[in-house]
Amino acid sequence: YKNWDNYDKPLCEWEGVGCNANNDIVKIELPNSNLRGTISEDIGFLRHLVALDLSGNYLSGNIPSELHYAPLEDLDISGNMLTGFVPPHLCKKAGINNNGQEGKFYCANIACPTGTYSSIGRMSVEEDCMNCDSDQTSALGATTCVDMMDFDSVSSSSVDGFCIVK
């Protein structure tokens, strides 16, 4: 993003960052932004963050368990190269992507598990996560499945770091 290296500019004026009247960061929306690296655990310590959209990038690694500290209501990490699983504390947090409705908590409301996919990368009222074919796989929060050989070559490539400054 063109203004993310201008430290003289207030964070609330950075592209993709939304703030409330008190200049607290309430949303970070950076879909399809060619981001590479891992998701910083520091994002979880943004005390007013209700929306985080990092979908459609090249982020790898695990979902930070610290995200459960933020008062997130909308979380979209679909379409990246994330691995592992959704942290249990995040799965048990009510309100994220309507998780916990009727007392039911599902990790798939946060992200489809590896080896599964949906058009939005997570389970919803309209759509479940579906299994990939036997010769295919997917990353966590996948919107499509890929051939296993293609996935291995993409997921093992080196990437630059991604960090949000507090």
Side-chain angles (χ1 to χ4, degrees):
Y1 279 82
K2 60 185 170 214
N3 60 356
W4 278 55
D5 59 355
N6 183 353
Y7 299 112
D8 295 329
K9 194 170 198 170
L11 285 173
C12 295
E13 294 179 20
W14 289 15
E15 192 171 347
V17 176
C19 296
N20 62 18
N22 296 322
N23 289 322
D24 299 311
I25 296 173
V26 294
K27 66 181 178 176
I28 298 173
E29 296 177 330
L30 299 170
N32 305 308
S33 300
N34 202 30
L35 300 176
R36 298 174 184 273
T38 59
I39 301 171
S40 172
E41 61 273 358
D42 291 340
I43 294 174
F45 298 107
L46 293 171
R47 295 178 300 164
H48 303 278
L49 186 68
V50 295
L52 178 61
D53 184 353
L54 300 174
S55 62
N57 286 290
Y58 300 95
L59 300 172
S60 58
N62 297 315
I63 299 172
S65 62
E66 291 82 359
L67 288 181
H68 85 276
Y69 293 121
L72 287 168
E73 295 171 8
D74 298 305
L75 174 62
D76 191 348
I77 51 170
S78 64
N80 284 287
M81 298 180 295
L82 299 169
T83 55
F85 55 89
V86 177
H89 288 301
L90 204 53
C91 297
K92 296 176 186 175
K93 184 168 176 145
I96 302 176
N97 301 339
N98 298 315
N99 203 14
Q101 283 189 337
E102 299 177 16
K104 297 178 182 175
F105 294 85
Y106 301 104
C107 292
N109 283 336
I110 310 301
C112 287
T114 55
T116 67
Y117 73 101
S118 77
S119 65
I120 59 171
R122 62 178 174 83
M123 185 171 74
S124 69
V125 174
E126 297 86 25
E127 185 178 11
D128 284 332
C129 298
M130 300 170 285
N131 290 325
C132 295
D133 291 336
S134 61
D135 61 339
Q136 294 182 319
T137 191
S138 68
L140 190 62
T143 55
T144 60
C145 294
V146 296
D147 290 332
M148 286 189 206
M149 291 175 55
D150 293 339
F151 182 78
D152 288 339
S153 66
V154 170
S155 64
S156 65
S157 64
S158 63
V159 292
D160 299 324
F162 169 66
C163 179
I164 297 291
V165 179
K166 289 196 270 183

